[in-house]
C-alpha cells in the first residue's frame, strides 16, 4: 500500500553517532581505475580487518575503505610515504586521504578490468522521464523518482567521511570539537549531488567538566573575550577556514562568508565532488534536520512527494543553484509537510503534537528557542490516512495553485494557516526561530511563477484523470508529463495574457538575478 509504516527506527542522534564513529575508521584512497581488487584488499588488510569498501569515480577513481579498528589507520599512516617534491612542494599535513600507485604499471594493470564504481549522481531528466513512463501508476512514478534521486548508502557514508576529515583539521585547534552533517545530507530528503552542510560543534567542549563541589577554590580558563557569540563564530570560522584552505587535501575554492546571517565557510571537496558549507553555533539547524528526519521516516508518502515536488521545481527553474529570489528546496519541503498536515485525516502530525509527545530527555531550548519534540519514532501513532500519491500529487498542485499567499502564512508548528505578520510574498514561519520567515528571499514574480505552474500541473493531471488527455499512449503521462519543458511554455503563455507588458517581466527577471548577500546561505548546489 501507499502507507508503509516504519517501526523500530533508530533515532536521529543514534544514526548520527553511529555513522560518525564509522567515518573515523574510514580512509579515502585515490587508486588506478584498473586494479586487482583482491590484491588491493589483501595489501590493506595488513593493517587490520576491513569491514567494507567500495569504489566511486570523481576526478579519478577512489576507494572508500572502512576498517574495523581505528588503530589500523595509524598503522597505514606509519608506512605511507610523503609525496615526492618534483614541481610542487607538499604541506605536510597527514590526513586520511591517500594515493595508491602501482609499482609496475605495465604488468599490473594490463589484464585488469576497471573496478565497479558506485554511482554518485542522478540520471539525466530525459532518462528519468523515460523510466517514469514505464511505471504502472502515478504513485509508482513518484516512488521510481525517489529511488533514482535519493542518496545511496555509499553516498551518505562519504558525506560523513568528509565531515570526519574536516573534524581532523578542526581538532588541531579544538581537540574535542566534532563536525556533524545537517540539512539534506541527513534529513532523509537529500538528492544525489546536493550540498553538504556541516556543523562545527564546539559546545560540548568543557560541558562535562564538573565543578568540584568541595574545597575553597574553583578554577576557570582565561579566555579571549569578544562582544558576541556571532563574533566568536566569525573568528573561529575564519581560522578553521584558513586551515581548510592551507592544509586540507583536495579542499579548493575556500570562501569565508562571515557576514551572512549565519556565518559560513564554503569550499569544494574535490575528491568527493561535494560543495561544502561549514557553520558553527547553528544547533537549531541540527534540530530542524532531526524534525525533517522524523517526518521523512513516518510515512513513505512524505519523502516520495517531497522528492517529486523538488524535482519538478528544479526542472522548471522554480529553484536554482544560484542564490537569489527563488524558492528554495527547504521552503518546498516545508510547504509539502504543511500540505500533508492539512489532509483529512492528517498524514503527519504538527510540531506541537510532536512536542506534546516529548519526555524530559527531548526537551531542548536552544538560544531561547523551544526546540522540544519527541525523538522516538515509535511513540508516534501511524496515520489512518490511506490516500494514494496519485491523489496527493494532484491535490498538492491544486492546493498551492489556489492558496491565499497574499494574506496567509504557512506554519508547520500549528499545522494551520495564519495571518502573515509582514508583507513578504511568501511567508513560511521557521518552526523553531518563530520570528523568522524561511522564504524571506522569495519575491512576488518567483511566487507567481510557482503558482502558475502549480495550476497548469493540477489541470494536466485532472485532464488525464478524466481521460481527456490530448496525448497518445506513447507520450509521457502523469508525473513524467509534468516534467516536460512544454509545461512551462503553457504557463508562461497564460501568464503573459495576465501579466501585461514584456518590460515588466524583464524587470522581474532582472530582479531575481540580483544576488542578495543576506541570503547567501541559501545554496542549492548541484540541484
Ligand atoms: N535552514 C533554515 N532556514 C533557512 C535555510 C536553511 O533553517 N532559511 C536550515 C535547514 O535546517 C536546512 C539547512 O539549514 O535543512 C540547510 O540549508 P540548505 O542547504 O539551504 O537546505 P537543505 O535542506 O540542505 O536542502 P538542499 O541543500 O538539498 O537544497
Ligand atoms: Mg543543503
Amino acid at each position: 500500500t501507499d502507507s508503509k509504516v516504519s517501526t523500530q527506527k533508530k533515532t536521529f542522534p543514534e544514526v548520527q553517532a553511529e555513522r560518525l564513529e564509522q567515518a573515523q575508521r574510514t580512509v579515502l584512497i585515490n587508486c588506478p581505475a584498473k586494479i586487482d581488487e583482491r590484491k588491493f584488499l589483501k595489501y590493506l588488510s595488513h593493517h587490520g580487518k576491513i569491514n567494507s569498501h567500495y569504489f566511486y569515480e570523481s576526478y579519478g577513481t577512489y576507494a572508500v575503505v572502512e576498517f574495523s579498528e581505528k588503530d589500523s589507520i595509524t598503522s597505514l599512516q606509519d608506512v605511507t610515504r610523503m609525496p615526492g617534491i618534483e614541481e610542487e612542494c607538499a604541506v605536510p599535513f597527514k590526513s586520511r586521504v591517500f594515493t595508491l600507485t602501482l609499482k609496475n604499471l605495465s604488468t599490473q594493470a594490463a589484464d585488469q578490468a576497471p573496478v565497479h564504481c558506485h554511482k554518485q549522481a542522478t540520471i539525466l531528466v530525459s532518462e528519468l522521464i523515460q523510466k517514469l513512463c514505464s511505471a504502472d501508476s502515478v504513485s509508482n512514478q513518484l516512488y521510481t523518482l525517489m529511488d533514482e534521486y535519493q542518496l545511496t548508502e555509499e553516498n551518505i557514508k562519504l558525506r560523513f567521511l568528509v565531515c570526519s576529515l574536516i573534524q581532523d583539521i578542526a581538532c588541531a585547534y579544538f581537540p574535542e570539537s566534532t563536525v556533524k552533517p545537517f540539512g539534506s545530507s541527513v534529513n532523509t530528503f537529500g538528492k544525489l549531488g546536493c550540498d553538504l552542510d556541516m556543523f562545527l560543534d564546539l559546545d560540548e567542549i568543557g560541558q562535562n567538566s564538573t565543578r568540584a563541589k568541595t574545597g575553597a577554590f574553583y578554577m576557570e580558563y582565561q579566555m579571549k573575550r569578544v562582544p558576541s557569540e556571532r563574533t566568536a563564530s566569525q573568528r573561529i570560522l575564519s581560522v578553521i577556514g584558513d586551515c581548510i584552505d592551507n592544509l586540507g587535501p583536495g579542499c579548493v575554492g575556500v570562501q569565508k562568508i562571515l557576514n551572512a546571517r549565519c556565518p559560513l565557510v564554503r569550499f569544494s571537496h574535490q575528491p568527493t565532488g561535494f560543495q561544502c558549507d561549514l557553520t558553527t553555533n547553528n544547533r537549531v539547524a541540527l534540530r530542524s534536520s532531526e524534525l525533517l528526519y522524523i517526518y521523512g521516516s513516518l510515512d513513505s508518502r512524505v519523502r516520495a512527494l517531497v522528492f517529486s515536488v523538488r524535482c519538478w521545481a528544479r526542472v522548471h527553474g522554480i529553484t536554482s543553484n544560484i542564490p537569489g529570489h527563488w524558492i528554495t528546496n527547504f521552503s518546498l519541503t516545508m510547504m509539502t509537510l504543511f500540505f500533508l498536515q492539512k489532509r483529512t485525516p492528517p498524514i503527519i502530525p504538527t510540531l506541537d503534537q510532536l512536542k506534546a509527545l516529548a519526555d524530559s530527555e527531548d526537551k531542548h531550548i536552544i538560544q531561547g528557542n523551544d526546540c522540544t519534540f519527541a525523538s522516538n519514532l515509535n511513540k508516534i501513532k501511524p496515520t489512518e490516512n490511506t490516500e494514494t500519491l496519485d491523489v496527493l500529487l494532484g491535490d498538492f498542485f491544486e492546493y498551492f495553485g489556489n492558496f491565499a499567499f497574499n494574506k496567509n502564512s504557512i506554519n508547520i508548528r500549528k499545522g494551520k494557516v495564519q495571518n502573515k505578520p509582514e508583507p513578504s510574498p511568501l511567508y513560511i514561519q521557521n518552526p523553531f526561530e518563530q520570528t523568522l520567515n524561511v522564504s524571506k528571499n522569495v519575491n512576488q514574480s518567483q511566487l507567481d511563477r510557482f503558482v502558475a505552474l502549480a495550476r497548469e500541473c493540477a489541470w494536466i493531471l485532472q485532464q488525464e484523470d478524466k481521460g481527456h488527455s490530448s496525448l497518445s499512449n506513447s507520450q509521457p503521462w502523469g508525473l513524467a508529463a509534468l516534467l516536460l519543458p512544454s509545461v512551462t511554455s503553457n504557463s508562461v503563455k497564460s501568464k503573459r495574457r495576465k501579466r501585461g507588458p514584456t518590460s515588466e517581466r524583464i524587470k522581474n527577471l532582472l530582479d531575481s538575478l540580483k544576488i542578495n548577500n543576506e541570503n547567501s546561505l541559501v545554496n542549492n548546489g548541484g540541484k
Side-chain angles (χ1 to χ4, degrees):
T1 76
D2 262 337
S3 55
K4 292 170 214 150
V5 176
S6 45
T7 51
Q8 304 303 324
K9 286 227 171 166
K10 286 179 188 154
T11 66
F12 182 78
E14 281 166 359
V15 176
Q16 285 245 328
E18 204 171 281
R19 289 200 184 271
L20 283 170
E21 191 277 327
Q22 190 175 58
Q24 285 176 343
R25 292 183 275 107
T26 304
V27 296
L28 189 55
I29 305 173
N30 179 213
C31 59
K34 290 180 170 188
I35 189 169
D36 184 329
E37 199 167 330
R38 210 174 40 84
K39 278 191 193 155
F40 170 72
L41 291 175
K42 195 169 164 218
Y43 172 76
L44 288 173
S45 57
H46 287 311
H47 303 284
K49 184 170 170 276
I50 293 168
N51 277 1
S52 71
H53 77 285
Y54 65 90
F55 296 91
Y56 71 90
E57 197 135 344
S58 162
Y59 305 104
T61 303
Y62 280 87
V64 177
V65 181
E66 181 203 323
F67 285 101
S68 132
E69 305 290 334
K70 220 174 154 178
D71 290 349
S72 305
I73 293 170
T74 325
S75 162
L76 175 62
Q77 281 171 329
D78 282 347
V79 301
T80 299
R81 298 188 301 159
M82 300 288 281
I85 300 169
E86 282 118 32
E87 282 143 34
E88 290 172 310
C89 219
V91 180
F93 176 78
K94 293 182 178 173
S95 74
R96 283 180 281 139
V97 186
F98 306 95
T99 306
L100 179 114
T101 43
L102 303 176
K103 278 191 183 150
N104 189 338
L105 194 77
S106 55
T107 58
Q108 281 180 283
D111 48 358
Q112 284 301 322
V115 288
H116 167 72
C117 284
H118 279 266
K119 73 162 188 176
Q120 304 291 323
T122 55
I123 54 173
L124 296 172
V125 176
S126 52
E127 284 173 61
L128 175 72
I129 290 178
Q130 260 179 358
K131 276 206 172 177
L132 296 183
C133 287
S134 45
D136 57 11
S137 63
V138 174
S139 175
N140 281 333
Q141 286 187 322
L142 272 78
Y143 285 119
T144 305
L145 183 143
M146 182 171 84
D147 279 345
E148 287 296 332
Y149 273 31
Q150 69 188 344
L151 300 180
T152 58
E153 175 65 19
E154 289 76 22
N155 194 270
I156 296 174
K157 281 188 179 172
L158 199 54
R159 287 168 185 269
F160 276 86
L161 175 59
V162 173
C163 287
S164 160
L165 295 172
I166 298 303
Q167 177 174 308
D168 285 353
I169 295 175
C171 281
Y173 279 99
F174 306 106
E176 291 150 274
S177 63
T178 55
V179 174
K180 298 172 175 139
F182 71 98
S184 58
S185 298
V186 288
N187 67 17
T188 73
F189 297 107
K191 172 191 158 188
L192 284 170
C194 70
D195 70 352
L196 171 55
D197 304 294
M198 295 188 268
F199 168 59
L200 171 65
D201 193 351
L202 304 168
D203 285 7
E204 269 155 38
I205 295 177
Q207 275 191 356
N208 42 10
S209 60
T210 45
R211 191 171 278 181
K213 290 197 178 74
T214 53
F217 307 102
Y218 69 83
M219 297 276 263
E220 83 177 10
Y221 286 103
Q222 279 201 9
M223 283 182 169
K224 197 106 190 167
R225 305 282 178 145
V226 290
S228 66
E229 270 194 73
R230 182 180 162 81
T231 313
S233 300
Q234 288 169 328
R235 301 248 177 126
I236 292 162
L237 283 175
S238 177
V239 168
I240 302 298
D242 284 340
C243 289
I244 293 172
D245 198 8
N246 290 306
L247 309 177
C251 298
V252 299
V254 180
Q255 277 175 281
K256 299 196 235 171
I257 308 171
L258 302 178
N259 287 324
R261 185 182 72 78
C262 186
L264 75 148
V265 173
R266 177 167 291 172
F267 61 95
S268 303
H269 187 254
Q270 253 178 351
T272 56
F274 293 144
Q275 170 77 25
C276 305
D277 279 353
L278 179 70
T279 54
T280 187
N281 194 16
N282 192 15
R283 198 171 282 281
V284 178
L286 206 65
R287 238 0 225 170
S288 138
S289 303
E290 174 164 4
L291 178 67
L292 296 197
Y293 169 88
I294 288 174
Y295 282 133
S297 308
L298 280 178
D299 187 293
S300 61
R301 288 170 292 182
V302 180
R303 295 175 62 226
L305 189 57
V306 169
F307 271 93
S308 290
V309 168
R310 283 181 167 202
C311 173
W312 164 83
R314 185 67 192 94
V315 164
H316 296 301
I318 299 285
T319 51
S320 162
N321 52 12
I322 310 163
H325 294 295
W326 291 272
I327 297 178
T328 62
N329 277 331
F330 184 59
S331 296
L332 285 173
T333 308
M334 302 297 270
M335 290 166 86
T336 313
L337 295 176
F338 182 75
F339 165 76
L340 295 171
Q341 290 175 335
K342 297 287 287 172
R343 304 307 291 176
T344 337
I347 295 183
I348 50 170
T350 66
L351 177 51
D352 274 343
Q353 287 164 343
L354 291 177
K355 185 180 158 184
L357 293 174
D359 57 31
S360 57
E361 282 164 37
D362 297 324
K363 197 171 153 101
H364 280 77
I365 310 287
I366 304 165
Q367 291 159 348
N369 301 300
D370 188 352
C371 303
T372 304
F373 56 83
S375 283
N376 184 347
L377 286 161
N378 306 310
K379 276 198 208 165
I380 307 163
K381 214 173 125 227
T383 175
E384 314 222 304
N385 181 309
T386 56
E387 287 174 297
T388 65
L389 283 165
D390 298 51
V391 172
L392 293 172
L393 183 69
D395 284 8
F396 173 88
F397 290 126
E398 168 124 30
Y399 183 76
F400 285 114
N402 296 299
F403 190 86
F405 287 108
N406 57 342
K407 67 173 213 285
N408 288 334
S409 73
I410 290 168
N411 181 329
I412 68 156
R413 177 172 280 280
K414 302 259 174 270
K416 276 195 198 123
V417 296
Q418 290 188 313
N419 288 333
K420 284 202 284 194
E422 46 108 341
S424 297
L426 176 60
Y427 198 103
I428 304 172
Q429 193 194 65
N430 186 312
F432 300 116
E433 294 167 280
Q434 293 184 49
T435 55
L436 297 181
N437 172 10
V438 165
S439 49
K440 196 178 164 60
N441 64 308
V442 177
N443 67 9
Q444 191 63 47
S445 77
Q446 290 304 321
L447 180 65
D448 291 346
R449 289 184 58 231
F450 169 82
V451 170
L453 261 171
R455 286 185 185 168
E456 182 78 22
C457 290
W459 187 82
I460 293 174
L461 291 175
Q462 278 160 17
Q463 292 313 100
E464 283 189 6
D465 248 11
K466 292 180 195 150
H468 290 172
S469 173
S470 55
L471 307 166
S472 72
N473 279 342
S474 60
Q475 289 292 303
W477 57 277
L479 178 59
L482 307 187
L483 300 181
L484 297 173
S486 55
V487 173
T488 330
S489 53
N490 288 341
S491 74
V492 165
K493 260 185 247 147
S494 56
K495 202 169 70 178
R496 199 172 290 162
R497 281 199 297 273
K498 273 203 307 270
R499 297 204 29 248
T502 316
S503 58
E504 176 153 343
R505 279 183 294 115
I506 291 173
K507 184 186 155 287
N508 281 334
L509 186 68
L510 289 174
D511 238 20
S512 2
L513 289 170
K514 278 187 206 145
I515 292 171
N516 183 348
N517 244 345
E518 219 185 1
N519 290 308
S520 52
L521 186 65
V522 183
N523 164 53
N524 300 312
K527 276 142 282 176

